[in-house]
């Protein structure tokens, strides 16, 4: 059985993606936190906080602290600390380099990767050794906006944030030849999948975990009007491949992070364009709301 490695920039939806996997009985072998929604200190601490809330002992290591070339671009979309300004005691932990850990794992094990953040960490891994990618069975990426429908128009200009943050890294990963399942805004921005006040009002807030989830999502809904479940939907692609319909092809990324899909049956990239709402509700939404 291939190991499962999660790479995140926790963020509220990253937090719910980790919970979606664990609540479906899937525990990542380890998680790598990288910069994106916030700086690395925040995303690392936030990710550890999520594992504590879940009462799961999942190792959390650190990944890229900045893009390959350009300067970091931060928005406080998820709050100043990247986790809806949820306050908690900082954690004591040994800072372990997740790229080296992943490199050592790949020397003799097959690995599935879910990445819900900028692709810098993977690009750095690929730069360590040419054949290190041979044991990567598949990568599931939350990212991209392909204008396949009215939802795929971008959330940073006409780019999607995870790609916009480091387009050079994204190009390296999408053109690596590895089998990549891409879950873009074309799917995740569909309002049928987003969380609104009505969903929060139905929550049973009767535990530490449900209180945590309620506070995080309430912040996002109050501030942005709704909460898009980008990363939990990407986690669903690992749990149930049948949940999505995909177009096969090649992906290119321009210098502004805009993603272009060229249909090609021989391509290694699969881009999701539709999601079964019943599977989404059963395996994701109903876990929380
Ligand atoms: O564009 C949405 C993506 O960017 C999500 O993964 C969110 O957490 C941010 O990383
Ligand atoms: Ca994310």
């Amino acid at each position: 059985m291939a190991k499962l490695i999660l790479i995140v920039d926790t963020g509220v939806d990253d937090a719910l993606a980790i919970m979606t996997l664990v609540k479906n009985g899937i525990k990542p072998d380890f998680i790598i936190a990288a910069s994106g929604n916030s700086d690395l200190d925040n995303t690392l601490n936030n990710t550890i906080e999520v594992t504590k809330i879940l009462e799961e002992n999942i190792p959390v290591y650190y990944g890229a602290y900045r893009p390959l070339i350009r300067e970091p671009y931060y928005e406080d979309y998820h709050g100043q600390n990247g986790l809806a300004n949820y306050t908690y005691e900082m954690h004591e932990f040994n800072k372990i380099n997740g790229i080296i850990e992943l490199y050592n794992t790949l020397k003799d094990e097959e690995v599935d990767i879910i990445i819900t953040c900028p692709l810098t960490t993977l690009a750095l891994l690929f730069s360590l050794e040419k054949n290190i990618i041979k044991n990567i069975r598949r990568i599931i990426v939350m990212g991209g906006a392909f204008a396949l429908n009215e939802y795929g128009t971008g959330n940073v200009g006409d780019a999607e944030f995870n790609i916009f943050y480091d387009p050079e890294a994204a190009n390296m990963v999408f053109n690596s030849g590895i089998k990549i399942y891409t879950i873009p805004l074309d799917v995740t921005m569909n309002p049928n999948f987003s969380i609104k006040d009505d969903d929060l009002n139905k929550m049973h807030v009767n535990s530490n975990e449900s209180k945590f989830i309620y506070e995080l999502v309430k912040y996002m809904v109050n501030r942005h009007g709704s909460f898009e479940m980008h990363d939990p939907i990407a986690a669903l692609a690992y749990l149930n491949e049948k949940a999505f319909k995909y177009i096969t092809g090649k992906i290119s990324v321009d210098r502004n992070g805009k993603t272009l899909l060229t249909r090609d049956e021989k391509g290694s990239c699969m881009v999701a364009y539709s999601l079964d709402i019943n599977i989404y509700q059963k395996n994701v939404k109903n876990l929380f709301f």
Side-chain angles (χ1 to χ4, degrees), residues 56-205:
E56 289 286 355
N57 181 23
I58 304 171
V60 178
Y61 304 138
Y62 71 89
Y65 79 94
R66 54 152 297 140
L68 292 180
I69 299 168
R70 57 193 65 201
E71 287 310 303
Y73 168 83
Y74 293 125
E75 303 175 330
D76 73 342
Y77 193 85
H78 291 247
Q80 284 303 317
N81 72 348
L83 202 61
N85 298 331
Y86 178 85
T87 53
Y88 59 89
E89 212 161 300
M90 285 293 140
H91 300 286
E92 295 291 317
F93 56 91
N94 295 328
K95 279 191 81 168
I96 295 175
N97 185 312
I99 299 169
I100 303 296
E101 286 299 310
L102 184 47
Y103 172 81
N104 290 329
T105 302
L106 281 167
K107 280 183 184 164
D108 40 29
E109 309 230 27
E110 263 210 321
V111 171
D112 287 339
I113 296 170
I114 303 172
I115 183 162
T116 61
C117 67
L119 304 183
T120 320
T121 299
L122 283 180
L124 291 171
L125 169 78
F126 293 4
S127 312
L128 293 178
E129 185 182 300
K130 184 163 174 35
N131 294 324
I132 194 64
I133 63 175
K134 69 183 180 339
N135 274 340
I136 299 178
R137 196 168 67 159
R138 60 175 168 159
I139 302 175
I140 293 167
V141 174
M142 191 283 135
F146 296 90
L148 301 174
N149 55 38
E150 66 268 40
Y151 311 122
T153 52
N155 56 8
V156 187
D158 52 14
E160 181 280 322
F161 177 80
N162 287 336
I163 308 304
F164 174 85
Y165 185 91
D166 195 342
E168 290 77 19
N171 247 327
M172 277 179 70
V173 174
F174 284 134
N175 293 290
S176 62
I178 299 167
K179 190 86 174 160
I180 296 180
Y181 296 82
T182 307
I183 309 301
L185 297 182
D186 310 68
V187 169
T188 65
M189 285 300 286
N190 181 328
N192 291 329
F193 306 130
S194 58
I195 304 304
K196 305 168 185 82
D197 252 337
D198 287 357
D199 300 301
L200 283 164
N201 296 337
K202 284 184 251 170
M203 269 188 84
H204 298 291
V205 185

Side-chain angles (χ1 to χ4, degrees), residues 8-11 13-14 37 78 116-118 142 162 231:
V8 296
D9 58 341
T10 309
D13 58 332
D14 302 77
N37 280 319
H78 291 247
T116 61
C117 67
M142 191 283 135
N162 287 336
D231 297 345

